[in-house]
Amino acid sequence: MRKELLKGLTEEQIAKVEKCKSPEEILALSKEEGVELTEEQLEAVSGGGLCKSNKCPNCGSKNMKQKWSHHYYCLDCGDWWDY
């Protein structure tokens, strides 16, 4: 998930988000933590697609690994996002 989508969360909450294995887990976590997601965050979690190219939206690297069905992880900067 793009780092700017995690702004406003504590380090502990960010660590919990990074451990989630599906968008459903992220939504459940937001409810559990009492965090209201923005439109952009909801779109990202629901698979709205944040990156339309084959590059990391954070650093521009093409060195990425698929994490879930349409979620990717950048091996260079550690960012993760939806395609």
Side-chain angles (χ1 to χ4, degrees):
M1 180 173 281
R2 293 187 331 212
K3 291 180 182 180
E4 62 265 21
L5 293 176
L6 300 174
K7 284 184 181 172
L9 299 179
T10 66
E11 290 298 319
E12 182 181 328
Q13 288 170 326
I14 291 171
K16 288 179 181 180
V17 169
E18 290 174 344
K19 289 180 183 177
C20 290
K21 293 184 175 32
S22 70
E24 293 78 18
E25 286 184 18
I26 295 173
L27 290 173
L29 176 63
S30 71
K31 288 182 183 179
E32 181 182 304
E33 293 287 322
V35 174
E36 190 171 324
L37 300 177
T38 66
E39 281 290 318
E40 190 176 13
Q41 289 168 325
L42 284 171
E43 184 178 318
V45 171
S46 67
L50 295 176
C51 181
K52 303 297 182 202
S53 70
N54 292 327
K55 296 187 289 185
C56 171
N58 186 50
C59 72
S61 169
K62 290 191 175 198
N63 189 16
M64 35 189 187
K65 181 177 182 176
Q66 190 169 2
K67 193 166 183 179
W68 307 308
S69 62
H70 59 278
H71 302 278
Y72 291 82
Y73 177 80
C74 179
L75 297 171
D76 290 331
C77 74
D79 200 10
W80 58 280
W81 66 95
D82 293 329
Y83 256 167

